[in-house]
Amino acid sequence: KPLIQEYDLAYYNQETILGGSELGLSTYPQFNSPYEVGDAFIDAGFNLVSLANNHSMDRGTEALDNSIAYWKGQKDVYWAGTYSSFEERDTAKIGEVNGITYAMLSYTTWNNGLSTPAGEEYYVNMYSDELAKADIERVRDKVDVVMVAMHWGTEYNEGAIDEDQTRIAKYLSDLGVDLIIGTHPHVIEPIEYIGDTLVIYSLGNFLSGQINVENITGLMVGLNINKTVKDGQTTIDFSDVTAEFVYTDFNSSYQNFKLYRYNQLNNDIFYGYKDYFDRWVQDLGENADFVKVIGYES
């Protein structure tokens, strides 16, 4: 919480729908979580939330209605990816912090076979080149920074990216997107620049009950957004990009969850964590030499 609250904007992907306890809580493969999950993340300082993913339709439109109502009720939280009408989806949503204006768009390339009802496609932003182009063109000239949250890629494809991610990232870069934040693979994938676009292909899991070590190590990526205005022209760039590794610990009964930064670990908590850390660093990719990695040596 103290670390998250150092940032003006703090992003996370809400993988499970917050349909509320009144619908009955549920786990894999069709999740439903209580509103208290959102309360806890907001209390920790998160204020930029992506909602479009392959589990958005897990409990149908009733859960989505509850989730959207919940997020609409949160002051100073910017959310994107699920909507209650086409008009709401197609309305440019603009935020501002420290004199820098921004917009975040959220898409998923997967729906687990759970499509939105015909005529109600606004419920979940399914990625298409056409939709992304229209959304980006709607905001590109109105804001300094355009961010896109992409739920994409191949699950558990550790340290690698697939052809679909490569194509979409290049397409979004060509449209003028400044920052792409990827989720879905549940493992860490590379970070790179495509032109001036910073692409984080997959953060991995921040907090989850998955059991494999590669699924309970994730990334917190931080950066500074710099705005320069000269001769009437605005330029945006990023500096001080950091990648800090985090580890989720819990017991065999799936209780007592605790999130550790890697510099808090020891072999009693996670045996061999230093060896695994070296493996995760490799997964960031050879093009990530601009990233300061924070791990057990820090």
Side-chain angles (χ1 to χ4, degrees), residues 8-9 42 45-48 71 73-79 102:
D8 297 303
L9 294 177
I42 294 168
F46 290 95
N47 57 11
L48 196 61
W71 290 109
Q74 306 310 310
K75 184 181 178 182
D76 299 326
V77 175
Y78 187 116
W79 51 272
Y102 64 91

Side-chain angles (χ1 to χ4, degrees), residues 15 22 62 88 101 186 212 224 226 235 246 254 262 270:
E15 183 86 2
E22 62 265 35
E62 186 176 9
E88 184 176 69
T101 55
H186 302 292
N212 295 320
N224 289 330
N226 308 301
T235 302
V246 291
Y254 291 92
Y262 256 62
F270 175 15

